[in-house]
Structure formats: C-alpha cells, structure tokens
C-alpha cells in the first residue's frame, strides 16, 4: 500500500491507538469502581492522558492536507514511544496479571509492518524485555517462587517474535504482489494509451455502444463525420435501423448513409464486443470514396500496364494510317475521296486522343497538395475564362472570402475547367455557369459548387456519368468526368452530381484544410 492512497497502515494504526486510549479511559473513568488501573491509579491516568495526546498529535500530522516527508527516525521513535506508553499502562495495571499485556502484540505487529527487517525484530525484542522485567519486578514484590510466572513471560516473548516473523513474511509476499500488480498496471496503461492513439488516429470512424444504444466511445474520425462529439449521446436512428438489420442477418450488406449533405458516403459495419459483464457493439464507419480510391489505385496499376501495350500496339498502326492518309490527300484525290480521307484522319486523331488520355490517367503522379484560399483561386480562373470570351454574365461566382482548401492547385484547375467546359458544351448557347463555395456548418468541410441553367442531365445518363468511356457526345471520349473524380479522390475530396430541378449542379466536397494527407 503506497502513501498516496487514502488509508495507509500508519493511518490505520493511528486510529487504532486513539480507539485503544479512549477505551482504556472509558474502562477506568466510566464505572463507579474502576475496572482497570487500580494498582497505580495516578500513573495509569497520567500515562493515558499523555498517550492520548501523543496519538492525537500524530494522527493530526498524518492526516494534514500539506504533505511533508518525515525523517527516517520518526517512525521508529513513534513506535518506541508507543511501546513505552503501553508498558507503563501494563505496569500501572498490575503487570502481566492485569491482562493488558496482550496490547503489546498489536504494537509488535504494527512495528513489523511499518519498519520490517531488523527494526521490526527490535520492537519485538524490546517488548519481550519489558514483559520479562515486569514479571521479574512483580515476582520480587510478591516473593513468589512459582516457575509458571517466568514461563508466562517467556511464552509471551516467543509469541512476539513469532508474530514478527509471520508478519514480515506476509508483508514481503504482499510487497512482491504489489510490485507485480504495479508492473502490470503500468503495462496496461501503456497498452491502453497505445490503443487509444491507434484508434484516435484511424481515418475510419470507430464507435462503441451498449445495448441501450448509448455511445461509450468514439474516435476523432467519427466525431468529424457527425460534426459533434458523440460520447454519451444516443446512436443516430439511421444507424440503429441498420444495426437491427445486421442483427437479423449479419451476412446481408448494409445500405450506405450520409450524415449530412456535404459529408462523404459511409459504409457501416458492426461487430460484437463481448466483455465479462456486458455486451457491447463496435461500429466502423468507412468512407466509401476512400475505399473506392484504394481499389482504384490497384486498377490504375493494371491500367498502366495495359496503356503501355496500347501505346505500342495501336499507336504505331495509327501513325502508319495517318501517314498514308496524308500522302493520299497530297495526291490528285477526288472531292469525295478527300472527304473520306478527312473522316479517316479525324477518327485517327480521336483514337490517338483516347490513348493519350488513358496514358495520362495511368501515369498520373501523386499530387502536391497545398493549402490556399478558394476565393482568389476562383478569381484567377474566371479571369482566364474571360480571356477566352466568356464574360461575367456567362460565368459568375459567389464565394466566401475565408474558405480554404487543401488540394493540388493544378489538378483543381483541371477539374473545374473540365466541369465548366462541359456545362458550356452541353448547356446550350444561353447557358450561364455559377461558381459557389462555402463551408458546411456541422463538419466544417469546404465545398465548391459548379452549377448551370442548361437543359440538365437525364436520369439514365446520370447513372453512368462517372463511368470511363461513357459519353453522349459524338466527339467525346468519356474520360473527362471520370478523370475529374479520380483527381478529387486523389486529393481526398469527393465529386458528386446534385439533384436540381433545372440545369446541372456538381459539388466538390474537400477534405478539412487542417488535415495533413497521408
């Protein structure tokens, strides 16, 4: 037991000494005829008052709020004083015949708990000498020649030393057990701190809840997904319904969910967490976009190998076809032949462009994400489009000045340029594009909306909009939106199509600007 704990052995022994002193005084002063202390009443009363005063002073110092270290001799001196006071009590009560000599056993036991080793045996030896002196003194006073009187003090001395030996053995065992428990506690604390750091640094949201759906633990990723600390709150109803479906059939895939309009699409997964006294459940919330991004990286590796084959196996024949077409056009070809050769040349260029885009996609290196303000970025972008002939009436912007994002600047320019170009290309002659940006109130995630007032996107087309090589344009290759979403995912952002009554609206939800990409 350490000194930092509330009830130490020294404090318990102080309380015992006060209780013994009060009990002896009650037995002496309480009845009309004193039950103890009749041999030498004055010495008995004086000793009790001094003993009670010393124990009260010792207890007051031990229980004081301000802790100060005692000198090394303080504890032995206190026990020797205690042994002296009790010896005087035994003497004034008539020696061993008075029956109070047994009180020294507790003092001997306390001495071996608090001091241990040779000092503990010293207390036992002093108590034995005191009892032998008391027996010898009263034997001389009564002129008794009984051998039992000396045997009684000897047996009591043996009891003192046996108590010292047993107490010290028990104390050593307890100390060893305490050291083992202390090492285990430190190891558990380290393991708990390590687990806490791992869970808190996970990008997957982790939530632990009980049978009443009360959240007992949630890491930082889960709090960020819901925009508020979840600890102590009830599990959201949309997760409760999915948990109930998971209980009915654990093998059935669960529907994805979004905690808000600007939050990523989440895949919930549940797992039982059984303990000895309660049944808990683990909830993992994974960003489906990030999972798709990791899977896409594997696809890009395969695409890179395929692209190298395409470049070698297709570009060389295309070059030969294009060269032959140029030679025929330089000759005396008829007007109809020139028209057909032009078609061949155009389609050769289109196929060559598709191969170029696929190669760029597979060779795309890791972006250099940086933190910058979105409003100045959009101002520069609009100025570039104005040089192409698109005035502010056709390309407008509405952005908060304090919105910051973390993104590769060149890649974001490529994404936004592609979305603006698609809007003007498919929205009609009177199409107007508006760039809006802000931050989500709950999650704090910045967003950018590219909205137009064109004819909109049919539902059938919207379902395949981000698939590679899917296009509704006669001269398109279907890689623009696919590449735009890939670039967003590479920067831990999400590109989605919003449901709007008129026109088309694309929203880019960025990662938090304070978050460092891994």
């Amino acid at each position: 037991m350490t000194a930092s704990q509330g009830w130490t052995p020294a404090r318990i022994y102080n309380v015992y000494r006060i209780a013994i002193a009060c009990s002896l005084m009650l037995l002496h002063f309480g009845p009309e005829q004193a039950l103890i202390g009749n041999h030498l009443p004055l010495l008995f009363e004086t000793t009790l008052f001094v003993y009670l005063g010393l124990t009260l002073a010792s207890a007051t110092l031990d229980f004081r709020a301000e802790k100060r270290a005692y000198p090394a001799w303080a504890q032995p001196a206190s026990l020797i004083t205690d042994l002296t006071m009790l010896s005087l009590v035994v003497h004034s009560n008539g020696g061993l015949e008075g029956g109070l000599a047994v009180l020294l056993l507790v003092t001997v036991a306390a001495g071996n708990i608090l001091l241990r080793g040779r000092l503990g045996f010293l207390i036992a030896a002093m108590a034995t000498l005191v009892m032998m002196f008391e027996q010898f003194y009263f034997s001389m006073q009564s002129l008794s020649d009984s051998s039992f009187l000396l045997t009684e003090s000897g047996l009591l001395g043996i009891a003192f030393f046996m108590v010292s030996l047993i107490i010290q053995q028990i104390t050593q065992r307890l100390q060893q057990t305490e050291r083992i428990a202390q090492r285990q506690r430190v190891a558990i604390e380290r393991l708990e701190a390590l687990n806490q750091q791992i869970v808190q640094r996970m990008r997957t949201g982790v939530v632990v809840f009980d049978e009443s759906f009360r959240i007992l633990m949630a890491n930082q990723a889960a709090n960020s997904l819901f925009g508020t600390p979840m600890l102590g709150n009830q599990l959201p109803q949309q997760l409760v319904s999915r948990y109930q479906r998971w209980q009915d059939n654990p093998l059935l895939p669960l529907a994805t969910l979004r905690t808000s309009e600007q939050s990523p699409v989440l895949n919930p997964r549940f797992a039982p967490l059984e303990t000895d006294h309660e049944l808990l459940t683990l909830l993992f919330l994974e960003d489906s976009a990030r999972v798709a991004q990791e899977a896409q990286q594997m696809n890009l590796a395969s695409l890179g190998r395929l692209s190298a084959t395409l470049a070698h196996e297709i570009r060389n024949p295309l070059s030969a076809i294009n060269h032959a077409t140029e030679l025929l056009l330089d000759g005396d070809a008829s007007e109809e032949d020139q028209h057909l050769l032009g078609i061949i040349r155009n389609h050769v260029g289109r196929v060559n462009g598709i191969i170029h885009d696929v190669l760029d996609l597979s060779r795309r290196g890791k972006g250099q994400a940086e933190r910058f303000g979105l409003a100045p970025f959009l101002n520069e972008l609009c100025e570039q489009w104005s040089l192409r002939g698109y005035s502010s009436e056709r390309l407008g912007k509405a952005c908060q000045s304090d919105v910051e994002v973390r993104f590769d600047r060149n890649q974001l320019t490529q994404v936004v340029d592609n979305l603006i170009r698609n809007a003007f290309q498919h929205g009609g002659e009177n199409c107007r594009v508006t760039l809006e940006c802000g931050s989500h109130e709950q999650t704090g995630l910045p967003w950018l909306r590219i909205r137009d007032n064109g004819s909109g996107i049919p539902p059938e087309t919207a379902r395949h909009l981000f698939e590679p090589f899917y296009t509704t344009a006669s001269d398109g290759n279907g890689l623009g939106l696919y590449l735009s979403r890939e670039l967003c995912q590479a920067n831990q952002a999400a590109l989605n199509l919003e449901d709007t009554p008129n026109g088309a609206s694309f929203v880019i939800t960025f990662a938090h600007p304070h978050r460092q990409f891994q």
Side-chain angles (χ1 to χ4, degrees), residues 283-344:
L283 167 62
F284 299 95
L285 296 170
E286 292 184 341
D287 185 353
S288 60
R290 183 173 59 83
V291 175
Q293 177 186 357
E294 294 174 355
Q296 190 62 33
Q297 296 300 323
M298 299 176 62
N299 293 336
L300 288 178
S302 300
L303 184 60
R305 293 190 293 268
L306 176 61
S307 300
T309 304
L310 287 174
H312 178 73
E313 299 295 336
I314 299 179
R315 269 189 164 178
N316 291 337
L318 284 179
S319 298
I321 294 173
N322 189 57
H323 181 65
T325 303
E326 294 292 341
L327 292 176
L328 291 175
L329 286 173
D330 290 340
D332 297 331
S334 63
E335 183 177 350
E336 182 179 357
D337 291 340
Q338 290 181 357
H339 176 70
L340 295 175
L341 292 172
I343 294 176
I344 294 174

Side-chain angles (χ1 to χ4, degrees), residues 5 68 144 158 185 221 241 279 332 349 379 400 496 511 515:
Q5 294 174 301
R68 293 182 181 176
S144 175
I158 294 174
R185 184 180 65 83
S241 60
L279 178 61
D332 297 331
N379 291 335
Q400 301 175 10
N496 295 290
R515 179 177 175 182

Side-chain angles (χ1 to χ4, degrees), residues 39 87-88 90-102 104 126-157 160:
H39 181 69
S87 299
L88 292 175
V90 172
H91 179 76
S92 59
N93 192 48
L96 297 182
E97 300 297 328
L100 295 182
V102 70
L104 296 178
M126 292 179 64
T128 302
L129 291 175
V130 167
M131 291 299 99
M132 293 181 68
F133 172 79
E134 286 291 318
Q135 190 62 58
F136 177 77
Y137 175 81
F138 281 100
S139 297
M140 295 295 295
Q141 289 290 326
S142 61
L143 300 177
S144 175
D145 58 354
S146 174
S147 60
F148 177 75
L149 296 177
L150 295 176
T151 304
E152 183 180 2
S153 61
L155 291 175
L156 195 57
F160 289 155

Side-chain angles (χ1 to χ4, degrees), residues 137-205:
Y137 175 81
F138 281 100
S139 297
M140 295 295 295
Q141 289 290 326
S142 61
L143 300 177
S144 175
D145 58 354
S146 174
S147 60
F148 177 75
L149 296 177
L150 295 176
T151 304
E152 183 180 2
S153 61
L155 291 175
L156 195 57
I158 294 174
F160 289 155
F161 277 97
M162 290 303 298
V163 167
S164 300
L165 182 62
I166 293 173
I167 290 296
Q168 292 208 24
Q169 289 293 323
I170 295 175
T171 304
Q172 290 177 1
R173 294 284 184 90
L174 291 176
Q175 281 185 320
Q176 184 179 5
T177 303
E178 185 178 358
R179 285 194 295 267
I180 295 174
Q182 178 69 13
R183 289 196 297 267
Q184 291 178 345
R185 184 180 65 83
V186 172
I188 291 174
E189 289 179 354
R190 290 174 179 171
L191 182 61
E192 183 179 359
L194 177 62
N195 292 337
Q196 187 71 12
Q197 286 292 327
I198 293 174
V199 171
Q200 290 297 332
R201 290 178 65 86
M202 288 177 62
R203 289 185 291 175
T204 300

Side-chain angles (χ1 to χ4, degrees), residues 15-31:
V15 174
Y16 161 78
R17 290 193 296 178
I18 295 173
I20 287 297
C22 294
S23 299
L24 294 176
M25 293 184 71
L26 183 63
L27 293 174
H28 180 74
F29 293 103

